[in-house]
Every structure is written in structure tokens, then in C-alpha cells.
Amino acid sequence: MAVAFNINTIAIYDRTELTKHILYGDQRMTDDDGSFFKEDNYIPNFREDGIFVIDNINFFETKAPAVYKVYSEYGIVQAVQYIIGGDIKKNNNIISYGRFKLDKKWAESDMNFLAIIGDYIGRIFLKERKHD
């Protein structure tokens, strides 16, 4: 069986309620509340289309220590993140795909595909949570 993506975690962060929901991966990772998104000027790193690609978390070691600490604790070394709906100003929800070991850089087509899937998963998940 071929694996399309080497992804170890999928999580949704609600930046308004400061909650994290693990959709795939180690449930112990729910300990962080996503407050690091409000530190270190993190959100402006997202592209205009709502995608943020992290090819190596070492990038954050001095630039965004709060993010580096959280990712290091959970073993995440690479990630693709997407603001659900693609609009940073209108949405407070982020889906994050994480890897535990360095792999080749994310291909543009992979990033776009993960954003599309993440947007769909995220909207359904958040809609279901509102009905709970």
C-alpha cells in the first residue's frame, strides 16, 4: 500500500476558544491550548491564501520560541497549516498537519490539496461541534 502523505498528526485549533482537537495522532497532544498562536507574531506568517508551510521547526527556535517549544514537545518537525476558509481576518480556526521526521519539502500541489481537504474537514467538524 502506497502512502500519499507522511503525516503523523492532524489537529484543529480554535483560536477564539483556545482549544485544540486531535483528529488523527497522539491524543496526549491535546495538552496545549493553541495560545502560542497569539504569541511571537505567528499568524502573519500565513500566506494570503491561508496556508503556512513549515519545512523545519528550527526556523522558529529564535524567531518564535513559544511555537518552537510546543512543536518540540510533541516531536513535530514539519507542518502544513491552513486557516479554515482561507481568510486570516475572518476565521479563527486552523487545521494543522504535522510530521515527526524531516521529509522532503512540501510540494505546492500537496499543500493545496491538504488545504482543500482541511477546509472541508474543518468546516464539517466545526459545524458538528456547534450542534453538540
Side-chain angles (χ1 to χ4, degrees):
M1 180 174 110
V3 177
F5 296 101
N6 177 17
I7 296 173
N8 301 104
T9 66
I10 302 174
I12 293 181
Y13 289 92
D14 182 325
R15 292 188 298 138
T16 303
E17 295 181 14
L18 290 180
T19 57
K20 177 181 178 182
H21 310 279
I22 304 296
L23 303 182
Y24 173 76
D26 190 338
Q27 292 299 313
R28 292 176 301 141
M29 292 176 62
T30 55
D31 290 346
D32 84 84
D33 60 7
S35 60
F36 66 88
F37 286 118
K38 295 186 178 205
E39 299 179 40
D40 301 328
N41 206 19
Y42 186 82
I43 297 304
N45 288 301
F46 281 80
R47 300 185 327 199
E48 216 172 275
D49 59 2
I51 297 173
F52 184 20
V53 181
I54 303 160
D55 283 316
N56 190 330
I57 66 153
N58 290 336
F59 162 81
F60 291 118
E61 192 166 9
T62 56
K63 185 174 179 169
V67 176
Y68 182 77
K69 180 178 183 268
V70 170
Y71 288 169
S72 294
E73 285 176 6
Y74 295 120
I76 295 171
V77 296
Q78 286 182 314
V80 168
Q81 297 179 338
Y82 177 70
I83 303 267
I84 297 167
D87 191 334
I88 297 168
K89 294 179 183 98
K90 291 183 181 176
N91 199 323
N92 285 314
N93 303 300
I94 295 171
I95 190 159
S96 180
Y97 306 93
R99 291 179 174 162
F100 292 156
K101 50 185 172 173
L102 286 176
D103 204 342
K104 62 183 184 210
K105 289 189 175 203
W106 300 90
E108 189 71 27
S109 59
D110 290 352
M111 291 184 289
N112 293 331
F113 181 75
L114 290 172
I116 291 166
I117 297 300
D119 195 54
Y120 180 75
I121 292 169
R123 287 174 190 251
I124 288 173
F125 178 81
L126 295 167
K127 186 177 179 182
E128 287 178 2
R129 293 228 349 118
K130 285 182 183 175
H131 290 16
D132 288 347

